[in-house]
Amino acid sequence: MGYETYLWIKWLHYLAFISWMAMLFYQPRLYVYHAEHMENKGFTDVVKIQESKLYHGIGWIAMGVTLLTGLAIILFAKPELMKAGYFHIKLLCVVILIAYHFSLGHYLKLFKENRCFKSGKFFRMYNEVPTIIMFVIIFAMIIKANLM
């Protein structure tokens, strides 16, 4: 892979990651509103549409592009990353984000079926998970990678 091609793939990887993170940040916020207004059917009907469109229309696409471009970078441009300890930290964080993504889908299904009884406070706390993981990923890929 040429250097220019690598830069374009890396660019797309960053864009997709930012989009994925936006979904991971905002989806639980919608769940906060949903959980705190369960008695208002008109409101929750609208929120259900927003939740579904965000999760399916942005989340899945952004996650898929993030994973595919990341894999392309590892396989074709930077296979030596697999030997770096900081990169293993990043990969562990990616696995956690994928699991978190699927957990949001689980809550989406429960809300759609009116069977989610978690509180708004729970989702406020749950909303912090991707923030912490993002801090670790950025630390690993910028600070640790450039101190090695």
Side-chain angles (χ1 to χ4, degrees), residues 1-131:
M1 175 184 295
Y3 187 68
E4 188 174 338
T5 303
Y6 162 71
L7 290 178
W8 281 107
I9 291 173
K10 190 173 179 179
W11 171 80
L12 183 57
H13 182 70
Y14 286 6
L15 289 179
F17 178 71
I18 291 166
S19 297
W20 187 28
M21 291 305 299
M23 185 284 285
L24 295 175
F25 292 149
Y26 195 61
Q27 190 81 18
R29 176 56 48 188
L30 289 173
Y31 294 165
V32 168
Y33 303 144
H34 197 146
E36 291 181 349
H37 297 91
M38 292 291 274
E39 71 287 344
N40 186 341
K41 184 178 176 350
F43 180 83
T44 58
D45 286 348
V46 171
V47 172
K48 284 179 184 180
I49 293 167
Q50 293 172 330
E51 292 164 351
S52 182
K53 286 183 176 184
L54 181 61
Y55 185 77
H56 296 292
I58 295 173
W60 273 101
I61 295 167
M63 181 179 70
V65 174
T66 300
L67 297 177
L68 288 174
T69 54
L71 188 60
I73 290 169
I74 294 168
L75 293 176
F76 304 117
K78 300 276 186 176
E80 67 274 10
L81 286 172
M82 292 304 293
K83 297 177 184 170
Y86 70 88
F87 192 71
H88 293 151
I89 293 169
K90 177 187 178 181
L91 290 178
L92 174 63
C93 288
V94 170
V95 169
I96 294 168
L97 285 178
I98 292 168
Y100 184 83
H101 180 103
F102 281 102
S103 75
L104 292 176
H106 171 72
Y107 291 121
L108 177 70
K109 182 179 179 189
L110 292 177
F111 274 122
K112 184 179 180 181
E113 298 169 352
N114 298 315
R115 294 187 311 116
C116 188
F117 302 108
K118 299 283 187 188
S119 68
K121 185 176 181 178
F122 169 83
F123 286 112
R124 278 190 179 83
M125 297 301 294
Y126 203 59
N127 194 28
E128 300 307 320
V129 172
T131 304

